[in-house]
């Protein structure tokens, strides 16, 4: 299968053991992307972008909560690309693997993934609405995995 998020070709890192117990169906970033495509929504989108969110562009406004959720599962670091509006677009680096599960929101725009500052969840989640969106996305992913398991039985 061909994906369209940045770094998909080399996104072969494995889920950490602690995450595998909670999300056994999520073993690689591609599997996480597949699951998130089912659960990203306008409610999980950043409020300032919500009116532009659509099922055709599900990654819009999902970057920080997605990157920190991916960090929970795969470890590594979250970095940010400074955008013209002063906000950071977040992506993941695990070892030598760089991936950005929400890069599709920028269409054909080429983003620079080098020399970017590390992002701290404490800073991002100081915004209560963002922390709540992250917690909701995390719970939706947990429920999605439970449903997947039930369907296999």
């Amino acid at each position: 299968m061909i994906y369209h998020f940045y770094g998909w070709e080399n996104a072969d890192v494995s889920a950490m053991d602690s995450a595998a117990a909670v999300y056994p169906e999520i073993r690689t970033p591609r599997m996480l992307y597949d699951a998130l495509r089912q659960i990203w929504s306008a409610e999980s989108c950043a409020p300032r972008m919500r009116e532009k969110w659509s099922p055709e562009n599900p990654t819009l406004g999902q970057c920080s909560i997605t990157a920190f959720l991916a960090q929970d599962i795969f470890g590594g670091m979250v970095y940010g690309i400074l955008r013209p509006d002063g906000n950071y677009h977040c992506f993941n680096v695990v070892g030598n693997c760089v991936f950005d599960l929400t890069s599709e929101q920028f269409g054909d725009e080429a983003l620079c993934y080098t020399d970017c500052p590390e992002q701290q969840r404490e800073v991002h989640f100081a915004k209560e609405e963002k922390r709540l969106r992250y917690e909701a996305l995390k719970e939706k992913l947990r429920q999605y995995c439970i449903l997947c398991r039930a369907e296999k039985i």
Side-chain angles (χ1 to χ4, degrees), residues 13 22 41 51-52 69 72 86 91-92 111-112 122-123 153:
V13 295
V22 180
S41 66
E51 69 182 38
K52 293 182 180 178
L69 181 55
D72 292 345
F91 64 95
N92 297 84
L111 300 175
C112 179
E122 297 80 19
V123 173
I153 296 175

Side-chain angles (χ1 to χ4, degrees), residues 21-150:
V22 180
Y23 311 108
E25 288 72 22
I26 309 298
R27 294 185 300 279
T28 68
R30 287 184 291 272
M31 294 173 94
L32 176 58
Y33 176 86
D34 288 339
L36 291 171
R37 290 271 313 176
Q38 303 300 312
I39 61 176
W40 278 318
S41 66
E43 290 76 32
S44 59
C45 178
R48 72 182 191 285
M49 305 168 119
R50 204 165 273 163
E51 69 182 38
K52 293 182 180 178
W53 186 90
S54 71
E56 293 76 35
N57 190 6
T59 65
L60 181 70
Q62 312 282 347
C63 75
S64 62
I65 64 172
T66 297
F68 288 113
L69 181 55
Q71 183 184 45
D72 292 345
I73 297 170
F74 304 107
M77 309 295 276
V78 174
Y79 290 94
I81 299 167
L82 184 60
R83 302 295 299 153
D85 65 2
N87 290 302
Y88 282 93
H89 171 69
C90 296
F91 64 95
N92 297 84
V93 177
V94 181
N96 292 327
C97 180
V98 178
F99 61 94
D100 181 354
L101 297 176
T102 63
S103 62
E104 290 173 276
Q105 67 183 298
F106 300 106
D108 294 332
E109 180 183 345
L111 300 175
C112 179
Y113 292 92
T114 57
D115 298 320
C116 297
E118 184 180 345
Q119 301 297 294
Q120 302 296 325
R121 69 177 59 220
E122 297 80 19
V123 173
H124 282 267
F125 296 160
K127 296 177 183 174
E128 180 74 359
E129 66 78 19
K130 189 179 287 190
R131 185 188 61 76
L132 292 173
R133 287 188 296 114
Y134 159 79
E135 293 291 341
L137 187 65
K138 199 166 133 175
E139 178 59 21
K140 280 178 124 177
L141 182 61
R142 194 180 72 75
Q143 292 296 327
Y144 175 86
C145 289
I146 289 170
L147 182 63
C148 287
R149 263 176 270 151

